Structure formats: C-alpha cells, structure tokens
Amino acid sequence: MQITPRVFSGMQPTGSLHLGNYLGAMVNWIELQKTHECIYCVVDLHAITVWQDPDELRRAIRQVTAAYIAAGLDPKKSVLFNQSQVAVHAELAWVFNCVARLGWLNRMTQFKEKAGKDREQASVGLYAYPNLMAADILAYRATHVPVGEDQKQHLELARDIAQKFNNDFKTSIVAQGFVDGIFFPQPDPVITGPATRVMSLRDGTKKMSKSDPSDLSRINLTDDADTIAKKVQKAKTDPEPLPSEVAGLAARPEADNLVGIHAAMAGQSKEAVLRDYGGQQFSSFKKALVEAAVARLSPIADETQRLMSDPAEIDRVLADGSQRARAIAGPVMDKVKDIVGLIRS
Ligand code: AMP
Ligand code: TRP
C-alpha cells in the first residue's frame, strides 16, 4: 500500500456554480486529468452542515455533477461521485474528530464567517466540517488538492491531522508494516491560475460567492449570453482608463478583478491583456470580456442543460463513480482500523 501521486477535490452542491468556482477550481481539475489519477467528489455531506431543502439538494447534486461533465470532466477517466454514497468519508471523519484538537477548529475563519453572530445556533457539523474535509482527502491518501485560495486554511488543517495521526500511532503504523512510520501523506494544495480568487462584480474587495444576495455580483455557469452581457456591463469599475502595466492595478480592485477574469477566460496572462487594452476605457474592454466569457461559458451551460434532461443517467454515473471510490477508500479505512486498534471481521 504505497503512497502514489493522486488528486482529490470536492465541490458543494449548494446554489448554482459561478465563475469563481470555474476559474478557481474546475479549470485546474480538468487540466490535472491529463497528468494525474484524479478523484472528484460532490460533497453532499458538507452541504447539509447548513439547512438544505431535500428536493433542492437532490437537484443540486445532479446539477453540479452535470456541470462538471459539461466543463470537461471525464467520468470514465477520473472518479466522479457523491460523498454520501461512500461511507468511509463519515467513518474516517469520526476518527479525525478524535485526532483534531478543539483549538485547531477554533481558528477556522470559514466557521466564524458561516456561523455569524449566533454561534450557539450553528450545527455541530458546521464546526467539524474541516475534519470531514480532511477525511475526504486522506481516505484516498491523496497528495494533491486543487482548490481556490479560500480553502488554504482547511488544507493546512488536513495536513496537521495527517501529521498528528502519523505521530500518535507511529508504533502501530510501523507494526502494520509501514516501516517509515508514515501512513497518511501530507496533501499539497494546488492553487494556481490567474484567477485563484475571483471577486464580486459589485465590490472588488469581496469574494464572488454563491451566498451573495445580489445575482449581479456573480456570473453563474448557467447564465445565458444576454445575462452575462448585462452583468459585465453593470460591473463596478473606476473612472480611470486601464493601466498598461500590472503594477497599475494595485489599488484598483475592480479593474484588477476584471483583467484577471479576462486573462483566465482567454488563457492569457494579465500582462498580455494589458498589452492589448492598456490606456483604453472600460467600455471597449468590457465588450471583449463579454465575448470571451460567452464563448467559454455558453457551451458549458448548454451541455449542462442537456445532461440535466436525463437525471437517471447522471445517477448512474454517480453510482459507478461511488463504486470505484469505495474500492480505493475501503482498504485505507481497514488499515486505519488496524492501526487504531479497532477489531474488524
Ligand atoms: P464552494 O463554492 O465554496 O463549494 O467552492 C468550491 C471551489 O471553488 C473551492 O475550491 C473554492 O476554493 C473555489 N471558489 C469558490 N469561490 C471562489 C472565488 N470567488 N474565486 C476562486 N475560487 C473560488
Ligand atoms: N470545503 C470545500 C469548499 O467549500 C469543499 C470540499 C470538501 C473539498 N471536501 C473537500 C475541497 C476536499 C477539496 C478537498 O470549497
């Protein structure tokens, strides 16, 4: 049972996917398929850490799955499945609940943001969320985790859990035949691309997010060409023309964001975009941005819709992926039980 390079990542089935999810995570997921063994998970157990309407949740699980496939994820090559169909995630998360320390979870900024002022009323699941995320990754002993910038802290926690497990159970791990005493690898974050943090179209200092009440703040992967055009036209800017150097974007969050989005859409660097548009007004730049965005996103929206017309086929893809995921995670969980001292038959 050697540690080999393996990619794992997950996305929550809540709300509709937006440009931040696409550029921050999905593009990298799809690229990594070319070079790595990849496992991609619709994390439905994470979704229920906050209230979800059951019918809406079912729809969202299928919709996210369809969007992944439409964006280029190949479910034959990579493993694509939903978390709740593989019991090891919840099982290993319990073991990690007993490895991670309260002090570690208390430092998680996403819990503080999501729980808001009324922390007493937050679910226990929301608090323990990062332990489940560590279990997702380590159930496959994954080594690479492509995510957006906002997941960095959670990934550091997963590394700490892997390390503490290896330390706490060192003797037992060696006794189980892992001579170097290492059972879990330290998973590395993969945070790359020109748009690891896509900002709101209404406020360049806030992250583009599913939970923003204004739909004008984000471009959804399901938006049609007219909606994309409207949102880009209304996107907040400043009165200055675009700078000709990247350094000129420093104190201009909205300009920086739009240039980053354009660069990512067109597969260019920010420098290259500013070489073309430096000195110009936003109006002409926005037209080009709409064109690039529509060219890239419309085929994905159309394909997602087509796939959604056959929910049974999506469920079949998830069932197949889950079976393949269980085949990898099952033996890892068996070893965890042996290492911890739990009896199994
Ligand atoms: P979530 O929507 O929180 O489930 O996030 C799914 C993936 O998209 C994660 O890897 C996030 O880091 C990434 N992501 C979410 N919002 C953004 C954003 N505004 N910019 C870049 N990446 C993002
Ligand atoms: N917490 C991640 C997010 O909100 C989703 C996630 C759950 C995840 N499990 C994961 C990402 C494992 C990477 C690896 O975006």
Side-chain angles (χ1 to χ4, degrees), residues 8 10-14 41-52 57 83-84 89 93 110 114 123 125-126 128-137 151 154:
F8 183 96
M11 182 109 51
Q12 295 196 58
T14 46
C41 181
V42 182
V43 292
D44 46 10
L45 296 175
H46 277 108
I48 60 169
T49 57
V50 296
W51 169 253
Q52 303 296 328
L57 179 60
Q83 193 181 25
S84 59
H89 291 249
Q110 188 173 299
K114 284 199 181 174
S123 74
L126 188 66
Y129 176 117
N131 294 346
L132 177 59
M133 179 162 160
D136 297 340
I137 299 164
Q151 294 301 312
H154 285 159

Side-chain angles (χ1 to χ4, degrees), residues 8 41-46 48-49 81-99 125 128-140 325-326 329-330 333 336-337 342:
F8 183 96
C41 181
V42 182
V43 292
D44 46 10
L45 296 175
H46 277 108
I48 60 169
T49 57
F81 72 108
N82 60 314
Q83 193 181 25
S84 59
Q85 292 206 57
V86 181
V88 166
H89 291 249
E91 231 178 321
L92 185 57
W94 180 262
V95 175
F96 288 169
N97 283 344
C98 304
V99 172
Y129 176 117
N131 294 346
L132 177 59
M133 179 162 160
D136 297 340
I137 299 164
L138 296 172
Y140 304 89
R326 280 194 292 268
M333 190 65 213
V336 168
K337 287 182 179 172
L342 304 168

Side-chain angles (χ1 to χ4, degrees), residues 249-310:
L249 294 169
R252 300 175 63 187
E254 283 84 15
D256 188 24
N257 190 37
L258 292 181
V259 169
I261 292 175
H262 192 298
M265 286 290 172
Q268 291 180 318
S269 63
K270 287 187 188 177
E271 284 82 2
V273 172
L274 291 181
R275 238 174 277 135
D276 290 343
Y277 293 99
Q280 295 193 26
Q281 298 298 326
F282 276 101
S283 49
S284 56
F285 172 73
K286 279 183 166 180
K287 275 204 197 93
L289 179 54
V290 170
E291 251 173 58
V294 169
R296 190 80 181 259
L297 300 181
S298 287
I300 299 177
D302 293 348
E303 181 63 5
T304 304
Q305 216 173 10
R306 194 188 67 75
L307 293 166
M308 281 297 277
S309 65
D310 189 357

Side-chain angles (χ1 to χ4, degrees), residues 11-12 18 20-21 24-25 147-148 150-151 195-198 207-208 210:
M11 182 109 51
Q12 295 196 58
H18 54 74
N21 298 133
V147 282
D150 61 342
Q151 294 301 312
T196 54
R197 193 170 165 82
V198 178
K207 194 179 77 163
M208 183 178 285
K210 290 169 189 171

Side-chain angles (χ1 to χ4, degrees), residues 109-332:
T109 53
Q110 188 173 299
F111 174 75
K112 291 179 198 164
E113 280 163 27
K114 284 199 181 174
K117 283 201 186 72
D118 201 359
R119 221 182 270 194
E120 298 279 306
Q121 285 304 317
S123 74
V124 176
L126 188 66
Y127 186 71
Y129 176 117
N131 294 346
L132 177 59
M133 179 162 160
D136 297 340
I137 299 164
L138 296 172
Y140 304 89
R141 298 165 97 216
T143 51
H144 296 82
V145 184
V147 282
E149 183 73 39
D150 61 342
Q151 294 301 312
K152 214 171 159 181
Q153 195 186 33
H154 285 159
L155 221 61
E156 273 157 22
L157 187 92
R159 293 170 63 92
D160 289 344
I161 290 177
Q163 192 171 26
K164 188 166 193 305
F165 183 93
N166 288 341
N167 283 342
D168 288 357
F169 294 103
K170 192 161 198 100
T171 314
S172 185
I173 289 171
V174 173
Q176 288 295 327
F178 300 87
V179 282
D180 54 3
I182 293 172
F183 182 68
F184 286 124
Q186 294 266 300
D188 284 321
V190 181
I191 302 175
T192 54
T196 54
R197 193 170 165 82
V198 178
M199 309 310 278
S200 157
L201 298 180
R202 307 299 289 169
D203 178 351
T205 63
K206 265 176 41 192
K207 194 179 77 163
M208 183 178 285
S209 144
K210 290 169 189 171
S211 51
D212 194 312
S214 166
D215 198 51
L216 285 174
S217 70
R218 64 185 158 258
I219 294 175
N220 301 306
L221 292 189
T222 45
D223 285 345
D224 60 22
D226 288 346
T227 311
I228 293 175
K230 186 181 85 182
K231 288 177 175 175
V232 173
Q233 297 307 344
K234 293 202 168 183
K236 187 175 166 198
T237 51
D238 55 42
E240 303 295 319
L242 283 157
S244 43
E245 306 273 338
V246 172
L249 294 169
R252 300 175 63 187
E254 283 84 15
D256 188 24
N257 190 37
L258 292 181
V259 169
I261 292 175
H262 192 298
M265 286 290 172
Q268 291 180 318
S269 63
K270 287 187 188 177
E271 284 82 2
V273 172
L274 291 181
R275 238 174 277 135
D276 290 343
Y277 293 99
Q280 295 193 26
Q281 298 298 326
F282 276 101
S283 49
S284 56
F285 172 73
K286 279 183 166 180
K287 275 204 197 93
L289 179 54
V290 170
E291 251 173 58
V294 169
R296 190 80 181 259
L297 300 181
S298 287
I300 299 177
D302 293 348
E303 181 63 5
T304 304
Q305 216 173 10
R306 194 188 67 75
L307 293 166
M308 281 297 277
S309 65
D310 189 357
E313 173 60 16
I314 298 176
D315 292 1
R316 204 196 52 71
V317 168
L318 290 173
D320 174 64
S322 301
Q323 198 181 353
R324 288 159 64 203
R326 280 194 292 268
I328 303 171
V332 174

